[in-house]
Amino acid sequence: MRIVHVANFYGPSSGGIKTTLHELGRGYLKYGHEFIYIVPGPQYIKEQTPFGLKISLPSFTLPGSGGYQVIRSNKQLLNLLEFLNPDRIEVSDRFTLLKVGRWAKKQKIASLVFSHETLNGLIQKFAPMIPSSIRTRFVNWHNAKLAATFDVVIATTDFAAAEFVRIKAKNLRKVALGVDLVGFNPGNRNFKLRRELLKDSHFLLVHCGRMSPEKEPQRSVQAIAELVNRGIDARLVIIGGGPLWKKLRKQSENLPIEMVGYVASREKVASYLAAADITLAPGPLETFCLSALESLASGTPVVASRSSAVGEILNINSIKPAGAVAADTGVAFADEIVKLLKKGNLRKVARYQAEQFSWANTIDAMLEIHQAKQPMITTKRRLKAA
C-alpha cells in the first residue's frame, strides 16, 4: 500500500510534527508499506530517508512564525499527488490543506487528517475580542467542514477530540501518539551534565519547546522568578528557539536561567531531560505535547498547564500521577513545582506512565484505520522523475 502524508509547518527545527511523520513512516515501512511524505522546502527535492521517500516542494515562510513554512502552490501539490497515485492520503494541517481532502474525495482515495490544534483555543488566544457565541459558531462550522472533507479525523487526546465530539462528528477516531522509549530513558541521566547545568544550584528544571506565543514559554520564566523569591535554590534550562527567543532572553536577565537555543541532537535533548528534577510544559493549547512524554520516558515528572491535554498524559486523576497541572500563572506553576519536589523521587512513576504510550500501538491503530493492519505483499513501484 502506498501511503502519502502531506504536512505543512515541517522544517529543520519543527518538533512534534517532524517526529510524528518520521515515526509513522518507520512503522509503515516495517509492515511492508510504502510511505511518501510531502513537506515544505526551499525547492523541489526528492530524497530517500530511513522513514520513506521525502519530497520537498517550494514554500514560503510565515511572517513572525520563527521559520514555519507552507507549501507555496496547491496546484503543484495536487499535480504531484496525481502523479504519485497514492492508495491512502494523510494530512497534518487543518487550515491550509483542505484542498487535498477535496481532491482525494474526487479521486475516491481514502483520506484522513490529524487535528493537531484546538481551534477554539487558538481563537481565544489570538482573537480574544471575538464574542464566545460567534467563536463557537465559527469553530463548529470549520470543524464540520473539516470532518466532511476527510474520511477520518484523528485526535490524539480527549482534549483534542472535544471540539469534534461537540458537533457529533461520526468519523472521529482517537489515536494517541507514542514516544521513543529507547532513545528517551532514565539511563540517559548523566550526573556530570547535571552538575554542569546546575552551576551549584540544588534543583534543576528544564523547559523544552518552541518559543512561540501559543506555547507561552514566559510562564516558565515567571515560575523560576517566583521560586527565587521564595528562596528556593532552583535553576532553569530552556531548550528551543522561535520568535519569542530574544524576548525570553531579556526576561531571563538576572535570573538563574540558561537558554541553550534549538538543539538538533535528539540524544542531547534526551540527556537534558533525564538530568532534570522536573520539566515544564506551560503551553495551554497543547493537544498532546511530545516533549512532555519524552520527559516522562526519561524518568522526569512534568508540571503542565491545567488547560491543556498534558494532564491526560500525566494520568493526573490517578493515585500516582506522573507530575502535576497548574493554572496559567507563574505563581501557580511554582506552587506545583514545590509540591512535586517535596514528594521526592517520581522517576519510576514517570517512566511507567510513558510506557503506556508506544509508537508500536500508534502504528497498529493507524494501520487498522487504513484497513491494512496485516503486512501486505506489495510490488514496489518506481517513481518517474516528476
Side-chain angles (χ1 to χ4, degrees):
M1 178 176 287
R2 175 175 287 175
I3 303 171
V4 174
H5 194 122
V6 187
N8 277 323
F9 312 114
Y10 173 104
S13 60
S14 57
I17 291 290
K18 183 165 67 174
T19 300
T20 299
L21 275 177
H22 291 180
E23 294 296 341
L24 287 176
R26 195 196 308 273
Y28 293 156
L29 292 176
K30 182 180 178 181
Y31 275 85
H33 300 291
E34 186 179 3
F35 185 65
I36 302 170
Y37 55 113
I38 304 171
V39 295
Q43 59 187 350
Y44 178 86
I45 303 172
K46 188 170 70 171
E47 56 184 313
Q48 200 64 50
T49 76
F51 322 109
L53 179 64
K54 174 184 174 183
I55 300 178
S56 301
L57 291 181
S59 62
F60 62 88
T61 302
L62 290 176
S65 69
Y68 276 149
Q69 294 183 315
V70 174
I71 293 169
R72 184 180 297 145
S73 170
N74 277 329
K75 183 178 180 181
Q76 184 183 21
L77 171 59
L78 296 182
N79 286 340
L80 176 60
L81 286 174
E82 187 171 356
F83 171 78
L84 294 174
N85 188 26
D87 298 303
R88 296 286 189 275
I89 287 180
E90 300 178 346
V91 167
S92 278
D93 182 27
R94 57 146 68 213
F95 302 115
T96 65
L97 295 171
L98 281 173
K99 283 188 176 180
V100 174
R102 289 195 285 267
W103 178 87
K105 274 202 183 302
K106 193 176 293 184
Q107 302 297 320
K108 294 183 170 53
I109 299 171
S111 66
L112 62 83
V113 60
F114 283 86
S115 180
H116 291 292
E117 308 85 7
T118 160
L119 181 55
N120 187 61
L122 287 172
I123 295 175
Q124 278 187 295
K125 171 68 179 177
F126 295 105
M129 72 294 298
I130 296 178
S132 60
S133 59
I134 296 175
R135 182 182 70 241
T136 299
R137 285 200 298 273
F138 175 77
V139 169
N140 289 348
W141 169 80
H142 178 86
N143 286 337
K145 183 179 178 182
L146 186 74
T149 303
F150 293 88
D151 295 313
V152 176
V153 176
I154 302 289
T156 54
T157 54
D158 290 337
F159 175 79
E163 292 181 359
F164 297 94
V165 171
R166 187 170 66 201
I167 63 170
K168 299 179 181 178
K170 294 181 180 178
N171 57 342
L172 174 66
R173 294 288 296 273
K174 181 183 168 185
V175 178
L177 300 181
V179 64
D180 178 0
L181 292 167
V182 176
F184 294 88
N185 69 80
N188 292 324
R189 194 168 175 84
N190 184 316
F191 288 96
K192 181 182 178 184
L193 174 64
R194 178 176 163 82
R195 286 193 296 271
E196 291 173 357
L197 296 173
L198 277 169
K199 298 189 186 302
D200 297 325
S201 295
H202 192 67
F203 299 111
L204 179 62
L205 310 179
V206 169
H207 173 119
C208 182
R210 186 171 174 76
M211 305 289 106
S212 53
E214 75 279 4
K215 304 283 188 180
E216 298 199 11
Q218 72 276 8
R219 192 79 64 241
S220 294
V221 176
Q222 295 165 357
I224 197 74
E226 177 64 21
L227 292 173
V228 169
N229 287 339
R230 298 183 190 185
I232 296 170
D233 187 16
R235 185 170 182 80
L236 172 66
V237 174
I238 299 178
I239 305 167
L244 295 182
W245 198 85
K246 289 183 179 179
K247 184 177 181 180
L248 264 292
R249 189 176 184 181
K250 188 169 184 180
Q251 291 176 352
S252 300
E253 289 178 359
N254 302 317
L255 288 171
I257 295 176
E258 180 178 353
M259 297 185 68
V260 299
Y262 173 72
V263 177
S265 167
R266 283 168 60 82
E267 291 78 14
K268 194 166 185 180
V269 171
S271 65
Y272 278 122
L273 294 177
D277 295 298
I278 295 171
T279 64
L280 307 180
L285 307 181
E286 296 288 357
T287 55
F288 196 79
C289 193
L290 277 172
S291 64
L293 194 49
E294 289 168 349
S295 175
L296 297 184
S298 303
T300 304
V302 178
V303 175
S305 168
R306 182 177 292 143
S307 59
S308 76
V310 182
E312 292 180 44
I313 297 171
L314 301 178
N315 201 14
I316 203 65
N317 295 319
S318 68
I319 297 174
K320 289 187 176 181
V325 293
D328 296 323
T329 68
V331 171
F333 263 73
D335 288 342
E336 297 303 326
I337 290 167
V338 170
K339 289 177 187 175
L340 279 190
L341 291 175
K342 286 180 178 178
K343 278 187 178 180
N345 196 334
L346 290 175
R347 297 186 67 76
K348 287 185 179 179
V349 175
R351 175 65 186 189
Y352 174 80
Q353 183 58 21
E355 288 171 352
Q356 311 313 302
F357 297 85
S358 73
W359 281 114
N361 289 341
T362 304
I363 298 303
D364 193 55
M366 291 301 297
L367 289 177
E368 187 172 313
I369 290 170
H370 284 309
Q371 298 179 348
K373 192 171 180 181
Q374 297 302 319
M376 297 176 63
I377 299 173
T378 58
T379 302
K380 290 190 176 180
R381 295 177 284 182
R382 289 179 62 85
L383 291 179
K384 302 173 185 176

